[in-house]
C-alpha cells in the first residue's frame, strides 16, 4: 500500500463508521456483494454508496442513518460500499444498481431488483430533510 492509499484508508475509516456504527454492513469485496444478493431471497436491501465528499458527509450519511434507524418501516438489510476505497465491491454493486455510476448514492432493492435509486444529483445541494423524506417514501412504499 502506498502512502496515498494508506492516508485515504485512514481518513475514510471515520466516514465508514458513521454508517457501520448504526447497523450498516460494510461490503468491502466483490464476493461480499455477490454473497449478500445471493442470500437475500426477496427481502429488501437499502444500499448507501458512500464517498469522501461534502454531500456524503453533510447529507447522504446523516439522512441514511436517520431514516434507517427512525422510520417505522425499514428494509430487511442495510449495507454500504465505499466508492474510491472498496473499488471492486463498488463496481460489483454498481452492476446490480445498473444506473450511471454516482457517489454518493442510495439504492433500494427487493431481492436483486432495483426498486428505488437516489443519485448524487438528487442529494447534493438539497436540504437534508427533503432527502430524508425521499428515503422514507421509498421505504414506506417498498419495505
Amino acid at each position: 500500500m502506498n502512502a496515498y492509499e494508506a492516508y485515504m484508508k485512514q481518513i475514510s475509516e471515520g466516514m465508514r463508521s458513521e454508517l457501520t456504527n448504526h447497523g450498516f454492513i460494510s461490503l468491502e469485496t466483490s464476493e461480499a456483494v455477490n454473497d449478500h444478493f445471493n442470500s437475500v431471497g426477496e427481502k429488501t436491501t437499502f444500499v448507501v454508496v458512500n464517498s469522501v465528499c461534502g454531500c456524503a458527509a453533510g447529507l447522504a450519511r446523516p439522512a441514511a442513518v436517520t431514516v434507517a434507524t427512525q422510520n417505522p418501516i425499514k428494509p430487511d438489510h442495510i449495507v454500504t460500499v465505499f466508492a474510491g476505497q472498496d473499488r471492486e465491491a463498488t463496481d460489483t454493486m454498481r452492476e446490480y444498481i445498473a444506473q450511471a455510476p454516482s457517489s454518493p448514492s442510495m439504492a433500494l432493492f427487493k431481492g436483486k431488483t432495483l426498486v428505488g435509486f437516489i443519485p448524487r444529483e438528487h442529494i447534493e445541494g438539497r436540504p437534508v430533510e427533503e432527502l430524508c423524506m425521499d428515503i422514507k417514501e421509498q421505504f414506506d412504499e417498498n419495505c
Side-chain angles (χ1 to χ4, degrees), residues 80-143:
T80 183
V81 295
F82 207 123
Q85 300 303 305
D86 307 322
R87 292 175 196 264
E88 290 179 9
T90 303
D91 289 345
T92 301
M93 184 61 75
R94 286 178 171 156
E95 290 174 14
Y96 284 97
I97 294 172
Q99 301 286 320
S102 181
S103 57
S105 63
M106 299 173 203
L108 185 62
F109 290 88
K110 279 189 181 179
K112 295 180 183 178
T113 302
L114 182 70
V115 294
F117 183 64
I118 302 172
R120 178 187 181 107
E121 60 263 20
H122 292 178
I123 296 171
E124 192 172 32
R126 295 180 64 212
V128 70
E129 297 82 7
E130 286 181 16
L131 181 56
C132 285
M133 289 307 297
D134 290 348
I135 299 166
K136 177 186 178 0
E137 288 173 13
Q138 287 191 10
F139 284 11
D140 291 350
E141 182 176 323
N142 295 292
C143 297

